[in-house]
Every structure is written in C-alpha cells, then in structure tokens.
C-alpha cells in the first residue's frame, strides 16, 4: 500500500527534471513557471503540430474554401 504522504514524481515535459505531482506544485506537470512558458512558446510558434493525413475529399472540397475578393462578409 502506498503512503498517502508520498507524492508521485513525474518528468517535466520540458527539461525532464523529476517533479512532484501534487496540489502543492501549481506548475504540474512542469517543474517551474519557466518550463511552462517554454512549452507555451513552442505551441504558439507552431513547433508542435498534430499530424494530419490528406485525402481526396480534402482536395475536392478545398476549392470551396477559395475567398472571393468581391464578396463582402459585413
């Protein structure tokens, strides 16, 4: 049986430092606010991306997405 006072240690996604997964660690799963901001910056700069597969259907309907410069949206 696990001791309820023992916090589980997880690796920080940014620097891999072992950090406690507990209510006291407000930056979890990160070890610090700095690592949290580094990760946020990577998402904002689009360094992370979810892989996407293209299909024939995407090619067919992509023509519908062309913006007509003469059309007003207001």
């Amino acid at each position: 049986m696990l001791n309820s006072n023992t916090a589980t240690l997880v690796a920080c996604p940014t620097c891999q430092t072992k950090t406690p997964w507990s209510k006291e660690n407000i930056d979890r799963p990160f070890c610090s606010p700095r690592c949290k901001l580094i990760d946020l910056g990577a998402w904002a700069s689009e360094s992370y991306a979810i892989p996407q597969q293209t299909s024939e259907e995407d090619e067919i309907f992509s023509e519908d997405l062309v913006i007509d410069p003469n059309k007003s949206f207001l």
Side-chain angles (χ1 to χ4, degrees):
M1 188 167 155
L2 292 174
N3 186 352
S4 61
N5 294 335
T6 305
T8 302
L9 293 178
V10 295
C12 172
T14 304
C15 70
Q16 303 304 313
T17 299
K18 296 292 183 185
T19 184
W21 183 273
S22 66
K23 291 180 183 178
E24 289 78 30
N25 180 8
I26 60 172
D27 298 310
R28 69 178 182 265
F30 302 98
C31 65
S32 66
R34 178 182 176 271
C35 282
K36 190 187 295 187
L37 285 175
I38 290 170
D39 186 73
L40 178 62
W43 280 105
S45 68
E46 298 181 358
S47 295
Y48 298 142
I50 298 172
Q52 180 179 351
Q53 295 179 350
T54 58
S55 68
E56 284 185 31
E57 187 175 279
D58 292 337
E59 297 298 322
I60 292 169
F61 292 110
S62 65
E63 294 172 2
D64 296 339
L65 299 175
V66 176
I67 297 173
D68 183 359
N70 299 321
K71 192 174 192 178
S72 174
F73 292 100
L74 297 177

